[in-house]
Amino acid sequence: MEHFIELVLTFTWIWLSLSAESCYSQVLPRPQQGQQVPCFFIFGDSLVDNGNNNGMLTLARANYRPYGIDFPQGATGRFTNGRTYVDALAQLLGFPTYIPPYARARGLELLRGANYASGAAGIRDETGNNLGAHTSMTEQVANFGNTVQELRRFFRGDNDSLNNYLSKCLFFSGMGSNDYLNNYFMPDFYSTNTDYTPTAFASVLLQEYARQLAQLYSLGARKVMVTAVGQIGCIPYQLARFHGNNSKCNEKINSAILLFNNGLKKMVQNINGGQLPGAKFVFLDFYQSSQDLASNGASFGFDVIDKGCCGVGRNNGQITCLPLQQTCEDRRKYLFWDAFHPTEVANILLAKASYSSQSYTYPMNIQQLAML
């Protein structure tokens, strides 16, 4: 009901603005009190998907219990027990409601943003095909293009006003994990492992990602967060399969990921150096933050850092969380919810760290980016 009232009030304000002023006047819906930016647009994979895959024919779905067991609306399609990283971040940014999935966002809702993320998605279009349907990064950017077209109606075709509005919004893009998990390191399904060395694969990924981010920029994105790929050589899924002698984690995977992450940080430096005029990009070091959470688990309240709270087999990582499966007793004590994804507690810790400190952000934190 509160969400409905909020939309009605926004619509009323816009209608009055249009009635009172000429058709070329600027239409700027008022952010809620305490809301630091007018809108928030999200691109990514299952780490931030909040329901876009629910209607797809895919194994990459989470709209069943016990997923969402700690979320007020229950199993919404979020791949964790409660809030995702971007849910927690939206709250820190002062949004009164969570950013809706693009699959459900309509009309005026889009003025406050949308979440285009899709479980199994990657930078490369073929990534994740082994799991079924999904929306790749290329398609997510195209969907944002459709959103811009729809928003243009609310601004009476005044592109300058629309671009000014979008320039104040935040954009989040978390991509790359599946290009390694569900592509490069899955040789039974994909040829990329033999087609490219790790260095060459990171290079082609970054080239494609740069093109996609430039397309977002051309559509109006100016304040953009991009995330490094986390330490996925250490997730329960990999620990269940890896039998190393010198390291508990699969360092072959981690080494390949670092090539991509280092290149992504350089890309951010180049963009901020004038490659995309007027843009300000922030690099979120999810690799370092995930490493720190695992290395110092006890100080964050985690008793278990190598097993999923819900799952099957070794490390609860051989098969992911099954429908109606019994979870661990105390979810707050686990770093990982399932074979791949962090728990709500971990997501909140990461959101708080990247919002207000520069421990894992470059060249500024998210609060500073929002204030620009």
Side-chain angles (χ1 to χ4, degrees), residues 71-141:
F71 194 73
Q73 285 81 46
T76 58
R78 289 165 167 82
F79 289 75
T80 184
N81 58 306
R83 284 167 284 180
T84 65
Y85 171 85
V86 291
D87 288 331
L89 189 54
Q91 289 183 310
L92 290 167
L93 290 165
F95 283 86
T97 54
Y98 299 114
I99 304 302
Y102 176 69
R104 282 196 293 105
R106 296 290 179 271
L108 288 164
E109 267 192 317
L110 295 170
L111 286 163
R112 291 218 169 84
N115 184 329
Y116 303 85
S118 174
I123 294 168
R124 292 175 67 93
D125 289 345
E126 83 275 8
T127 289
N129 284 346
N130 55 297
L131 294 170
H134 60 277
T135 308
S136 69
M137 181 60 175
T138 297
E139 293 168 317
Q140 290 179 37
V141 174

Side-chain angles (χ1 to χ4, degrees), residues 250-267:
N250 188 332
E251 297 302 340
K252 181 181 178 182
I253 292 179
N254 286 341
S255 296
I257 287 164
L258 283 172
L259 294 169
F260 173 82
N261 289 346
N262 292 336
L264 183 61
K265 189 172 183 179
K266 287 177 184 173
M267 185 197 299

Side-chain angles (χ1 to χ4, degrees), residues 66-70 79-82 235-237 302-322 324-346:
Y67 287 95
I69 193 170
D70 297 312
F79 289 75
T80 184
N81 58 306
I235 62 175
Y237 174 80
F302 298 121
D303 290 342
V304 184
I305 60 167
D306 59 350
K307 297 180 179 66
C309 170
C310 185
V312 178
R314 186 181 179 205
N315 294 84
N316 277 351
Q318 289 178 290
I319 301 175
T320 197
C321 195
L322 299 174
L324 304 179
Q325 186 179 347
Q326 187 69 34
T327 71
C328 60
E329 285 188 17
D330 191 347
R331 295 178 285 277
R332 296 168 301 178
K333 301 294 185 184
Y334 279 68
L335 174 59
F336 290 99
W337 161 249
D338 62 10
F340 302 95
H341 307 99
T343 54
E344 177 185 60
V345 171

